[in-house]
Amino acid sequence: MWIYGAAYPLRRIDEVVDQEYDYIVVGGGTAGSALASRLSESPDITVLLLERGSFDDSMRSRVPLASVANGNYVVHRSSVPESQTGGRPVSLLCAETLGGTSRINGLIYTRGAPTYFDQWPQCGFDWDWTHVKPFFEKAEQVVSLRQTSYLESAVYPFLAESAKELGLLSEGAPNQHGSLALGYLNFDLTIDQKGNRVSAFHAYLPRDVAIQRQRTLHICTDAAVAHLDVDGRSGTARGVYVSSSKAEELNPTAHFISAKREIILAAGAICTPQILQLSGIGPQALLNRVGIPIARDLPGVGSRLSDHVIIPISFEVPIEDSLQQLQVSVVSVIKNALLYALAGKGWLKSALDRGIFFNTSHIDDETGLLRETKASGDPFDPGHLPNAEIIVLPIGIIPTKNPGTGLITLQLCLTQPGLASTGDVVVRSTDAKQSPQIRLNMLRSKQDQSVARKALRFTLRLAKQFVFRSGYPKIARMFQYPATNIRGDEWREGSWSSVSDASLDDYIRKNMASAYHLTSSCRMGEEDEGGVVDGQLRVHGFQNLRIADASIFPTAHPAHPMASVYMVAERCADFVQQRWA
């Protein structure tokens, strides 16, 4: 029972089967929630939104810090083991519920440098910055954005000064027109005036909107799409086969639901290619091997899966300057809970609000300094596209591993993997409930390995600057870093440059992980070049089947992808509405 009034209007599978809808949106995550909301604005249009996960709108899910990578709807997957990771699988997280990963991410909203979009392919419709900017702005009228001005830790001002000393410029408004592509940034976060997380669910499909449109917008959770009903010869998608995703139903029956106009896949970079392959759309050799009848041979489906690689460096500070104080101090927990509840302040409002974007080609190899000017941060210059980011985390990378230790992590994130360092998504069988094989190929290319070393040395240089020269008035020492036969309390100023390539490589192999920024597995592009969708996001060979999620990005996004997922959803809705106007 919804304690604040009428319950959120959800439909059971048996209430939507054998019906026909104008539009069926598969996936109620970040893109799907936005898309379903826009398509259902007209009272004359019927929309069905299918979400695999369960409905959840607990208060915890709205508290920024408490909801990061947390919730009953978090789904854990793993990549296949690879030599680059020392033979270990890499953990992957997403959220299956209304709002998807916007319910568990770090709330960071970054459009990315305009020059990145100017490199997107021109496939009938332009996707350069001029054409995508209005759809960012449209999303930003719905998604609440705020910046953190008051910082909970005394570390931040001194870290900002350290970044400045290394040549980094400061950018206080990273999403404004003309803002720097490179520098020390104060992130925009998806939080409202009260300090609550604003996910795609709360922004686009709040309870009042869902109730107002419940006659024509049907939202069905716990619904797994087994496959699509498509005709490859005529190029039409007729409907979807859906079954219950609840664990207690071992052999659920698949029911058919018909689409009158279009089907739009918004299931993400893993599940969208999986659904296409299960529907007979994908590489012919794979479909033959698994035993799936071929509707259309489309080799690009599931290929070029891209992700950002993260590598942590951490240093120790007094625990009052670290988020890990909440592990050891009941007083601190109570204080921050009250601060958040009464004023939307304190650690609970967010712990990820500062970061550094840089390009390793701008680093001087001898000094470790960046050669940055206002001109070198020009967001419209392709030579200034960042290929690395340092996210400042006021906590250890695995908080439970060192309880009682005050840690700050500089989480290096490599944002522009080369072609050889992209992977794939491949179905293992015709069973839609079986997770596909996910191969990441992290840092497979020599060039990417070289970038990783240089970026990691710069991260060490920044840590050294903070520990020894920032003026931070308390005791700080290195804590987690590549092996140099030097203890953290014996680390000296020049130690960052003495770390061998072999030590860096070993550290990277043992510590690199996924940033959970998966993209590009159904990328936009020409079919003969491996593309899966055209410039209007239509799957090649089909007139009424589109994709609107991060899988269509032509290449890995050089920033956090959430903002661009919103943009893609907004533009897809515009394409669809224009088509059927």
Side-chain angles (χ1 to χ4, degrees):
M1 183 76 175
W2 187 269
I3 63 173
Y4 300 109
Y8 195 92
L10 298 173
R11 300 280 177 158
R12 300 187 309 272
I13 290 179
D14 62 358
E15 295 179 299
V16 299
V17 298
D18 300 325
Q19 292 198 39
E20 183 179 62
Y21 294 86
D22 290 314
Y23 305 116
I24 297 177
V25 179
V26 178
T30 307
S33 292
L35 189 58
S37 179
R38 290 302 188 192
L39 293 179
S40 63
E41 287 176 338
S42 170
D44 300 321
I45 298 298
T46 57
V47 178
L48 173 63
L49 176 61
L50 297 169
E51 167 52 42
R52 181 173 184 148
S54 298
F55 180 79
D56 186 300
D57 192 22
S58 64
M59 278 305 301
R60 182 186 63 181
S61 72
R62 302 188 184 197
V63 179
L65 181 64
S67 57
V68 173
N70 191 22
N72 297 328
Y73 36 76
V74 173
V75 174
H76 297 262
R77 294 187 176 92
S78 295
S79 70
V80 297
E82 298 172 11
S83 60
Q84 302 93 279
T85 58
R88 60 184 172 85
V90 173
S91 176
L92 301 169
L93 296 185
C94 70
E96 291 184 353
T97 189
L98 293 179
T101 302
S102 69
R103 301 283 294 273
I104 65 168
N105 63 12
L107 304 97
I108 299 172
Y109 184 97
T110 48
R111 293 177 176 178
T115 184
Y116 166 67
F117 298 98
D118 289 341
Q119 297 173 21
W120 280 32
Q122 311 297 298
C123 304
F125 274 67
D126 291 329
W127 282 83
D128 59 13
W129 176 247
T130 301
H131 289 84
V132 302
K133 182 185 176 185
F135 296 97
F136 279 111
E137 294 171 338
K138 191 173 184 180
E140 288 155 16
Q141 296 300 310
V142 181
V143 180
S144 179
L145 300 179
R146 296 286 183 276
Q147 288 188 328
T148 303
S149 56
Y150 177 76
L151 302 171
E152 304 300 328
S153 172
V155 164
Y156 286 100
F158 297 96
L159 192 58
E161 185 62 28
S162 298
K164 180 180 178 181
E165 290 299 317
L166 267 57
L168 284 154
L169 303 175
S170 179
E171 178 57 76
N175 289 309
Q176 297 303 309
H177 178 73
S179 60
L180 299 175
L182 310 169
Y184 185 89
L185 308 182
N186 183 1
F187 288 133
D188 286 323
L189 305 176
T190 51
I191 56 177
D192 63 19
Q193 291 179 328
K194 296 180 180 179
N196 295 326
R197 173 188 287 270
V198 179
S199 67
F201 165 52
H202 294 112
Y204 283 92
L205 293 174
R207 184 169 58 94
D208 59 337
V209 169
I211 290 174
Q212 180 185 3
R213 302 178 189 176
Q214 61 182 316
R215 183 181 64 83
T216 55
L217 170 61
H218 291 177
I219 301 171
C220 184
T221 57
D222 298 305
V225 172
H227 60 90
L228 311 178
D229 179 23
V230 297
D231 184 342
R233 291 185 178 180
S234 64
T236 56
R238 294 175 291 225
V240 300
Y241 284 92
V242 181
S243 61
S244 171
S245 61
K246 293 182 178 179
E248 61 267 24
E249 298 192 33
L250 298 179
N251 296 297
T253 302
H255 302 277
F256 181 72
I257 307 171
S258 177
K260 183 179 180 181
R261 292 183 176 181
E262 298 201 23
I263 298 172
I264 304 104
L265 297 180
I270 300 300
C271 293
T272 286
Q274 179 189 23
I275 291 170
L276 287 176
Q277 291 169 5
L278 290 170
S279 306
I281 304 171
Q284 180 175 334
L286 167 65
L287 302 180
N288 285 335
R289 184 171 70 250
V290 178
I292 299 173
I294 298 172
R296 183 173 179 84
D297 177 20
L298 200 55
V301 174
S303 70
R304 298 274 186 92
L305 176 68
S306 296
D307 194 11
H308 293 162
V309 175
I310 58 172
I311 308 162
I313 294 292
S314 61
F315 51 85
E316 184 178 355
V317 296
I319 199 162
E320 65 265 22
D321 281 343
S322 169
L323 180 57
Q324 296 196 221
Q325 64 180 274
L326 300 182
Q327 292 179 309
V328 297
S329 172
V330 175
V331 172
S332 182
V333 171
I334 295 172
K335 171 188 171 184
N336 280 276
L338 289 172
L339 277 172
Y340 179 77
L342 299 176
K345 297 181 178 180
W347 279 113
L348 297 184
K349 74 179 184 302
S350 179
L352 311 175
D353 48 20
R354 297 295 190 276
I356 295 166
F357 283 106
F358 63 103
N359 189 300
T360 54
S361 67
H362 297 187
I363 299 173
D364 185 284
D365 291 329
E366 295 297 322
T367 64
L369 301 178
L370 281 162
R371 302 180 292 269
E372 301 293 17
T373 63
K374 286 285 185 181
S376 67
D378 182 358
F380 295 94
D381 187 331
H384 302 153
L385 192 67
N387 64 356
E389 177 189 7
I390 297 172
I391 307 169
V392 183
L393 305 176
I395 196 169
I397 196 67
I398 305 178
T400 56
K401 191 174 181 180
N402 299 284
T405 303
L407 295 176
I408 303 291
T409 299
L410 302 180
Q411 183 169 271
L412 173 63
C413 184
L414 305 173
T415 63
Q416 290 289 281
L419 179 59
S421 297
T422 60
D424 54 39
V425 178
V426 176
V427 293
R428 304 174 192 263
S429 71
T430 59
D431 184 359
K433 285 197 170 184
Q434 183 179 20
S435 182
Q437 174 183 284
I438 304 167
R439 188 182 307 277
L440 296 177
N441 286 331
M442 286 182 165
L443 301 185
R444 189 178 182 185
S445 77
K446 298 288 186 182
Q447 174 62 28
D448 288 338
Q449 293 166 16
S450 177
V451 168
R453 292 188 204 104
K454 194 166 186 178
L456 189 54
R457 279 200 173 93
F458 179 77
T459 308
L460 288 168
R461 179 77 166 84
L462 177 62
K464 163 257 171 183
Q465 184 73 24
F466 172 82
V467 170
F468 294 102
R469 292 190 175 184
S470 68
Y472 179 65
K474 305 174 186 178
I475 296 175
R477 69 181 186 92
M478 297 298 294
F479 187 84
Q480 182 181 4
Y481 51 91
T484 58
N485 297 319
I486 302 173
R487 297 201 315 268
D489 55 358
E490 294 179 349
W491 186 279
R492 297 292 177 260
E493 289 197 37
S495 298
W496 66 271
S497 61
S498 65
V499 182
S500 67
D501 284 356
S503 291
L504 291 172
D505 290 344
D506 182 65
Y507 184 83
I508 292 168
R509 187 164 47 250
K510 292 177 179 177
N511 291 279
M512 70 175 173
S514 168
Y516 315 138
H517 293 169
L518 298 167
T519 69
S520 311
S521 54
C522 292
R523 67 191 183 281
M524 185 194 307
E526 301 294 341
E527 183 177 354
D528 59 3
E529 296 176 356
V532 175
V533 299
D534 65 13
Q536 291 196 43
L537 305 180
R538 294 171 299 203
V539 175
H540 288 304
F542 292 90
Q543 55 188 328
N544 68 332
L545 176 59
R546 301 185 203 245
I547 300 175
D549 57 35
S551 70
I552 67 95
F553 294 4
T555 59
H557 196 287
H560 298 255
M562 175 171 61
S564 292
V565 171
Y566 280 127
M567 177 273 291
V568 167
E570 289 281 7
R571 194 158 199 212
C572 182
D574 189 66
F575 285 145
V576 173
Q577 289 166 339
Q578 287 188 35
R579 162 66 180 85
W580 297 98

